[in-house]
Amino acid sequence: MTLNPQHATKKYQVVGIGNAIVDVLTRCDDSFLDHMGIEKGIMQLVERDRSEQLFGAMSDRVQAPGGSVANTIAGIGGLGLRTGFIGRVHDDALGQFYAEAMEKGGTDFVNPPVPGGELPTSRCMIFVSPDGERSMNTYLGISAELGPEDVSDDVAHQAEIVFLEGYLFDKPKGKDAFTRMARSCRAAGGMAGIAISDPFCVERHRDDFVKLIANEMDYVIGNEAEIRSLFQDDNLDKDLARVAELCPLVVCTRSGDGVSIIHEGTRIDIPVTKIVPVDATGAGDQFAAGFLFGLATGADMETAGRMGTVAATEVIGHMGPRPEADLKALFRRNGLL
């Protein structure tokens, strides 16, 4: 699987489509968590009223643009590729912040904030306690309303590679947006793929997910649990082979056990050096960034996979889901560029 040389003239090398969520962080002690009824150390979804209560209770807030595929696209943009992101934000203070922050990071935020949007901009309120635990409360807001009307054929045609976020698959309009994006990109000679994102989402929509992969995707990226969720058994090798029958490129991350890639029937296993993470948030997102950078720049599959592991190792070495070090320099140090 290689990109056509004429794609060098396309506006975007990689375009992502996914949840546009503002991460809002503050520090607090355990007594605050107890007082506010926040369950420590987990991520839970909250409704609008609860989100407004928690947001109002946060002092010394720090904001950052987030969302799984958005983090991936930011990583790729930081590596110097031409990137765009399709997400839905309200024309409120957080939505304007999100759009501006993505643009400042070098990624086109393709759709402007929605004036009079039906819901507020999505946000994840993260309370960091003294022991480093992160208690996350996510309000999905307007982001989950993304649909086919948010997908521009002009953008899709101008993308060498598109990357879809599985979290959005829960709503029919999200499914329709994915199908439109993938078909439009592929019709113009591009490549479409998906991050499985969530095994529970797969369980809710297994048949549709498998059909999407079989009929619309050129590549799939997921972790061990996500790959297994497609076929409901505990034999990973068997599951990988079955996905590879549906899609020409399958990438499976297995935490400290490395990465397995099946490309057009050939399997490549890439080992990793196990380390204790400072913060595992963003490991999968930045693996995808490194891998897609390799794919977009013509690297072979083993090199692209190793780029992914280098990027993931960097991001779990510090707090936050986006790289802090110069990934290109790390790639050179590891003999990958």
Side-chain angles (χ1 to χ4, degrees):
M1 178 184 294
T2 55
L3 293 167
N4 191 311
Q6 71 181 15
H7 288 175
T9 62
K10 286 184 180 275
K11 182 176 181 180
Y12 300 110
Q13 288 164 287
V14 187
V15 172
I17 177 170
N19 278 302
I21 300 176
V22 179
D23 289 336
V24 188
L25 298 94
T26 192
R27 295 191 178 276
C28 70
D29 55 26
D30 288 355
S31 63
F32 176 86
L33 297 178
D34 291 339
H35 175 70
M36 296 300 295
I38 297 168
E39 193 166 346
K40 185 175 178 177
I42 68 164
M43 192 287 284
Q44 55 189 357
L45 296 177
V46 297
E47 297 299 327
R48 181 173 179 174
D49 288 350
R50 174 68 167 164
S51 78
E52 290 173 353
Q53 177 195 25
L54 293 177
F55 187 79
M58 301 179 90
S59 59
D60 298 320
R61 294 187 292 253
V62 176
Q63 296 177 178
S68 176
V69 163
N71 288 335
T72 295
I73 297 301
I76 298 169
L79 281 160
L81 299 195
R82 304 182 305 279
T83 54
F85 180 70
I86 296 172
R88 190 172 178 85
V89 298
H90 186 112
D91 189 18
D92 52 19
L94 285 180
Q96 293 167 8
F97 163 79
Y98 192 97
E100 291 168 6
M102 290 294 285
E103 293 279 350
K104 284 179 183 175
T107 292
D108 281 357
F109 189 72
V110 173
N111 297 333
V114 180
E118 59 273 32
L119 292 168
T121 294
S122 310
R123 75 282 310 263
C124 179
M125 287 144 293
I126 303 169
F127 296 87
V128 184
S129 40
D131 59 3
E133 284 276 12
R134 294 155 68 92
S135 306
M136 297 182 282
N137 301 264
T138 302
Y139 169 61
L140 290 177
I142 196 173
S143 179
E145 299 302 313
L146 188 142
E149 69 278 6
D150 296 301
V151 175
S152 161
D153 287 333
D154 289 342
V155 173
H157 288 164
Q158 284 298 317
E160 297 175 17
I161 297 171
V162 296
F163 190 40
L164 316 177
E165 182 177 307
Y167 286 122
L168 283 174
F169 204 70
D170 257 330
K171 291 193 174 184
K173 62 174 68 175
K175 295 178 184 179
D176 293 342
F178 281 1
T179 301
R180 178 171 180 176
M181 186 75 180
R183 289 179 179 174
S184 186
C185 173
R186 296 175 91 198
M191 190 184 297
I194 191 167
I196 297 177
S197 299
D198 183 6
F200 303 108
C201 181
V202 174
E203 288 171 12
R204 290 189 291 271
H205 310 279
R206 184 169 284 108
D207 289 346
D208 285 348
F209 226 108
V210 170
K211 286 177 185 174
L212 180 81
I213 291 169
N215 298 323
E216 313 290 352
M217 298 293 106
D218 299 298
Y219 67 92
V220 176
I221 300 176
N223 64 28
E224 188 171 350
E226 293 160 356
I227 295 291
R228 283 178 169 170
S229 69
L230 289 168
F231 301 107
Q232 295 177 280
D233 67 44
D234 288 326
N235 188 327
L236 180 63
D237 289 339
K238 180 181 174 183
D239 290 341
L240 282 170
R242 290 178 71 180
V243 184
E245 290 174 359
L246 304 176
C247 185
L249 174 56
V250 182
V251 185
C252 178
T253 59
R254 295 181 289 120
S255 191
D257 293 325
V259 177
S260 296
I261 299 171
I262 301 180
H263 178 226
E264 296 178 349
T266 299
R267 177 165 171 166
I268 302 163
D269 290 303
I270 300 168
V272 296
T273 301
K274 292 185 180 182
I275 66 169
V276 177
V278 172
D279 176 11
T281 308
D285 302 342
Q286 295 312 319
F287 171 84
F291 179 81
L292 291 176
F293 172 83
L295 189 64
T297 55
D300 61 73
M301 289 297 143
E302 181 173 359
T303 299
R306 289 180 61 203
M307 287 175 167
T309 65
V310 168
T313 299
E314 190 281 338
V315 82
I316 66 175
H318 58 76
M319 292 290 286
R322 297 190 176 186
E324 292 181 353
D326 181 340
L327 289 183
K328 272 193 174 178
L330 291 177
F331 293 166
R332 292 190 190 96
R333 197 178 306 161
N334 284 272
L336 302 175
L337 283 180

